Amino acid sequence: MILLEHINTITHDLIISWLNLPADQRASSPIETKCSDFDGCQLHVWTTGDVVNVSLKSGAAKALLSNGGAEILKATYGSGLVGAQDGSDVQISESAAGVEVDQQKEAFATKFAQLKSNLYSSPIMRCVNAASAGQTLQGITDIPIRSFNERMWVKQDDTERITVIFSVDFSDPDDAVFGRVFMNEIKPISGAPSVDYSIKAPPMELRGVSQLPRSENVSYVTFVLFKRHWTPLAKAIPSAFTLVSFRNYLHYHIKCCKSYLHTRMRLQVEKLLKVLNRAKQDTPKEKKLASGRTFVRK
Amino acid sequence: KKFEHIRMSLALQPYLDCIRATLTAAMCLQNFASQEVERHNKPEVEARQNPDVLLNDIIVSRSPQEKVLIETSINSVRISVCLKKSDELDQILTKRMLRFFCQRAENFVILRRKAVPGYDISFLVTNFHCEAMYKHKLVDFIVAFLQDIDSEISSSKLAVSARGRIVANEFLKTFTR
């Protein structure tokens, strides 16, 4: 699996298997699960009678909600967006009445499973919506996605360009080297957003922004989205979802690379041990002498 | 370009041949009880208490960064290797790989758990090893080790770059669909 998924698989599978129960059994076998997703999100999935509820709690949720998240979620989930009941930051609840056909079930479950992706891509979608309407939002949106050091900045330059900048923190210096090798391999592809990265030094677009994370292990990656990435509007959502998961994608592949190297090392160890075993002599432990005694080699 | 490639592999072979010849000469080991502590038998090259059982150290080097230090004594030989590391990816790959080997030093019998300071990895061969194993095959093992590490690091480097290319391409391609 090269690309990360944009839905929370646990949520999706739980809801689908609950929907596949016969209607009279749904109330008697409710879902009650707490699970987590990337970026420190805690999800709570539960059913009350015929209603499915999913709530999300994360460190970045407040910042996201105030930067376009509330409007975007309202537009996506309509009346499904309700006040959070269990101390979390966002909750959606909807009744499963009338969901019979497989396609409806799939759409229903996916809607819930995409809660995190919708929330996290809302600053970008806010700019996309403004650009499609011919407007330009001013200012830079600054969101601490994971921590102080790992943030996302979104800026709409004009109705044709949106700039998204990530600061990626590598706690392990070896990871930073792998990350740099991977970033070096990014060659421009026609039709794709332009990508630029810098190590330690924040890019020009962030001039004037206060309190930038500066550290040995922090790298900045800048993406510029162009109009073709959000027209038609249906294309914008998968683009935004993919973009927001960049940091997790990078770290996931660095870890895959490290485990691949481990496999190679293990094979190398076996090969060399075989060579070493050829060196071993098989000296007999006991040898009978002509005088009748036995010589034992210690 | 073709000649450059030939030149590179010619440069490696004399280096390995020299190491092989030196090791074969150095590995003339015999049992030697410790002169400092009664009833003890230590590898003298590690103890370094007595100068008259130690021989002169030899460094076989291909370049200032790539060298092999061979320290001999009456009952043990210590071989320390310094590998070529041209960039930071090389450095971390070498470090990870050699640490992986050192953690399995018991399986490798003649491997030293910690490298001699200033070097990447060290071997310790004692007279007991020479009694249990064929001497020429031990030398074969060390030379094979050097060759394999070299080729393993360069192919790992290529593999990491290839993976990076795929990872970057797949990510950007999602936007063009």
Side-chain angles (χ1 to χ4, degrees), chain A residues 2-3 172-175 177-178 180-182 185-193 195 223 225 228-229 235 238-240 242-246 249-250 253 256-258 260-262 264-266 268-273 275-276 278-283 297, chain B residues 88-90 92-93 95-101 104 107-110 129-135 137-138 140-142 144-149 151-157 159-177:
Chain A
I2 298 189
L3 295 167
D172 184 10
D174 284 358
D175 276 0
V177 176
F178 282 116
R180 247 170 277 156
V181 171
F182 280 18
E185 297 292 336
I186 292 191
K187 304 271 180 310
I189 303 183
S190 68
V195 187
F223 290 93
L225 289 171
R228 73 179 90 92
H229 299 122
K235 229 174 147 194
S239 295
T242 312
L243 198 52
V244 159
S245 64
F246 171 72
Y249 179 78
L250 187 64
H253 277 286
C256 285
C257 193
K258 286 201 279 193
Y260 169 71
L261 289 174
H262 255 205
R264 281 184 79 110
M265 288 194 259
R266 257 177 251 133
Q268 197 61 27
V269 165
E270 274 179 39
K271 245 173 68 180
L272 284 170
L273 280 176
V275 178
L276 188 60
R278 271 186 247 145
K280 298 209 165 107
Q281 291 186 32
D282 17 70
T283 42
R297 184 189 290 270
Chain B
E88 14 170 56
L89 185 59
D90 256 343
I92 62 168
L93 285 175
K95 185 180 81 170
R96 274 176 179 260
M97 175 133 240
L98 295 180
R99 202 169 55 184
F100 196 85
F101 282 137
R104 287 156 181 73
N107 291 356
F108 277 109
V109 190
I110 57 171
H129 295 148
C130 287
E131 283 165 23
M133 301 191 261
Y134 294 113
K135 196 177 87 175
K137 297 239 181 223
L138 273 180
D140 275 349
F141 171 74
I142 294 178
F145 188 92
L146 291 177
Q147 268 177 318
D148 279 351
I149 292 282
S151 65
E152 181 62 29
I153 302 282
S154 18
S155 34
S156 293
K157 232 171 116 168
V160 170
S161 302
R163 287 179 88 98
R165 225 169 297 134
I166 299 176
V167 161
N169 263 339
E170 284 301 317
F171 187 76
L172 290 179
K173 262 181 12 195
T174 58
F175 295 95
T176 59
R177 278 190 218 124

Side-chain angles (χ1 to χ4, degrees), chain A residues 160-192:
Chain A
E160 313 259 316
R161 276 170 64 113
I162 298 178
T163 306
V164 183
I165 306 172
F166 293 96
S167 65
V168 187
D169 185 15
F170 295 105
S171 41
D172 184 10
D174 284 358
D175 276 0
V177 176
F178 282 116
R180 247 170 277 156
V181 171
F182 280 18
M183 293 306 300
N184 270 332
E185 297 292 336
I186 292 191
K187 304 271 180 310
I189 303 183
S190 68

Side-chain angles (χ1 to χ4, degrees), chain A residues 38-67:
Chain A
F38 284 113
D39 301 324
C41 287
Q42 290 162 37
L43 292 169
H44 181 201
V45 186
W46 78 101
T47 54
T48 39
D50 218 14
V51 177
V52 178
N53 312 288
V54 175
S55 77
L56 185 154
K57 185 178 165 69
S58 85
K62 286 211 172 35
L64 288 162
L65 286 169
S66 55
N67 278 304

Side-chain angles (χ1 to χ4, degrees), chain B residues 1-162:
Chain B
K1 282 242 168 92
K2 201 165 128 192
F3 292 122
E4 220 178 86
H5 162 74
I6 298 175
R7 226 188 309 138
M8 280 308 290
S9 43
L10 278 182
L12 177 63
Q13 206 45 47
Y15 176 59
L16 294 175
D17 287 341
C18 183
I19 294 176
R20 182 187 291 271
T22 318
L23 283 177
T24 315
M27 243 185 254
C28 292
L29 310 173
Q30 52 182 275
N31 192 8
F32 186 77
S34 169
Q35 290 180 327
E36 312 295 317
V37 187
E38 242 186 73
R39 289 168 163 251
H40 272 216
N41 198 314
K42 298 184 210 284
E44 291 298 329
V45 78
E46 294 281 356
R48 295 198 162 253
Q49 302 277 43
N50 222 328
D52 48 338
V53 294
L54 296 173
L55 284 90
N56 288 329
D57 305 339
I58 301 180
I59 297 184
V60 180
S61 83
R62 193 175 159 193
S63 68
Q65 294 83 32
E66 226 183 321
K67 54 192 177 184
V68 173
L69 169 68
I70 300 174
E71 300 160 284
T72 329
S73 70
I74 188 164
N75 65 353
S76 43
V77 184
R78 190 162 65 183
I79 305 139
S80 309
V81 184
C82 203
L83 296 165
K84 181 172 76 171
K85 294 162 293 237
S86 29
D87 57 21
E88 14 170 56
L89 185 59
D90 256 343
Q91 272 173 12
I92 62 168
L93 285 175
T94 318
K95 185 180 81 170
R96 274 176 179 260
M97 175 133 240
L98 295 180
R99 202 169 55 184
F100 196 85
F101 282 137
C102 286
Q103 283 174 335
R104 287 156 181 73
E106 255 178 69
N107 291 356
F108 277 109
V109 190
I110 57 171
L111 195 61
R112 200 170 181 264
R113 270 200 188 273
K114 251 189 116 141
V116 167
Y119 289 84
D120 295 325
I121 193 167
S122 299
F123 297 89
L124 177 68
V125 183
T126 63
N127 58 296
F128 301 110
H129 295 148
C130 287
E131 283 165 23
M133 301 191 261
Y134 294 113
K135 196 177 87 175
H136 60 286
K137 297 239 181 223
L138 273 180
V139 176
D140 275 349
F141 171 74
I142 294 178
V143 172
F145 188 92
L146 291 177
Q147 268 177 318
D148 279 351
I149 292 282
D150 234 355
S151 65
E152 181 62 29
I153 302 282
S154 18
S155 34
S156 293
K157 232 171 116 168
L158 287 172
V160 170
S161 302

